[in-house]
Amino acid sequence: MITSVGVVIGLFVVKWTGWIWVDSVMAFMIAAHLAWEGSKIIRQNLGGLVDEVDYAAINNLAKAFKECREEGLINVHNVRMIRSGRFHHIDAHLVVPEFWDVDRVHALSNTYEARVISKYPFEGEIAFHLDPCHRKYCEMCDLDQCPVRKNPFQALPTFDIPGLLGNEKKTAQFNPHVTPS
């Protein structure tokens, strides 16, 4: 639409003023606009082809993880996402108490997945890999009746981008001062 309006304006200016050079200027401006818009489309599509991190989608997912969190769900990390249009396949590790039985963990992961997907603005599915806490997460576990607690509870996980995308070892490598594109 913008290019069509530019062409019409250029034609009217040339017709009314007789300034032929306006046609060349308008043609150059339209070509520059088309090149700019084309480069944005190519950039966006190349990002999808090389599995670039979609920070907006990860932020939406982090918000849904935080809103739907329930007792016994200790942490979520190693999040990976594959996008196909509006459908997102999400793969993540879910840390749960090591002493819970399989039925309880399975029920928690299924209800948590359904609740997160209902809050997430895209269609999708989540495949959780279940990790036992192995007493490494005591500081972020709010489970009151924990028979294996090694350290006192301090604070819930924040579900921030470095924590979701990496694991404990990789989180320190995240540079929050680098602006994601």
Side-chain angles (χ1 to χ4, degrees):
M1 185 181 121
I2 292 172
T3 56
S4 297
V5 169
V7 168
V8 170
I9 289 172
L11 290 174
F12 278 121
V13 169
V14 169
K15 177 88 169 148
W16 288 337
T17 64
W19 298 338
I20 304 288
W21 59 268
V22 170
D23 186 47
S24 299
V25 170
M26 288 303 286
F28 178 76
M29 289 173 54
I30 290 169
H33 173 72
L34 287 173
W36 176 254
E37 292 300 318
S39 69
K40 289 193 317 189
I41 290 170
I42 290 170
R43 168 66 180 95
Q44 183 180 22
N45 288 317
L46 282 177
L49 289 174
V50 296
D51 291 333
E52 180 179 61
V53 175
D54 182 348
Y55 286 94
I58 293 292
N59 280 327
N60 285 324
L61 187 60
K63 183 179 174 187
F65 279 152
K66 194 178 296 187
E67 286 178 20
C68 298
R69 193 193 168 284
E70 54 189 81
E71 187 179 59
L73 191 153
I74 300 171
N75 198 11
V76 179
H77 63 141
N78 285 350
V79 174
R80 303 293 180 257
M81 182 184 304
I82 299 171
R83 297 166 291 167
S84 178
R86 286 197 49 80
F87 191 86
H88 292 192
H89 171 78
I90 301 159
D91 182 73
H93 289 225
L94 184 66
V95 180
V96 295
E98 65 184 71
F99 58 90
W100 278 11
D101 65 31
V102 173
D103 287 335
R104 187 171 184 182
V105 172
H106 184 69
L108 172 80
S109 69
N110 284 342
T111 57
Y112 188 60
E113 174 190 352
R115 290 178 59 215
V116 168
I117 289 296
S118 72
K119 297 265 186 203
Y120 189 59
F122 300 98
E123 297 175 41
E125 64 184 355
I126 303 175
F128 283 121
H129 299 271
L130 303 172
D131 294 340
C133 65
H134 292 301
R135 302 173 192 162
K136 293 188 302 188
Y137 295 89
C138 290
E139 291 85 8
M140 61 176 70
C141 176
D142 65 344
L143 195 62
D144 288 332
Q145 303 299 323
C146 180
V148 297
R149 183 174 297 283
K150 196 165 78 173
N151 298 311
F153 169 71
Q154 292 180 5
L156 293 173
T158 59
F159 294 132
D160 57 358
I161 289 177
L164 289 177
L165 295 182
N167 59 31
E168 299 78 26
K169 296 171 191 142
K170 295 179 187 172
T171 300
Q173 298 171 356
F174 179 76
N175 184 352
H177 302 294
V178 175
T179 305
S181 53

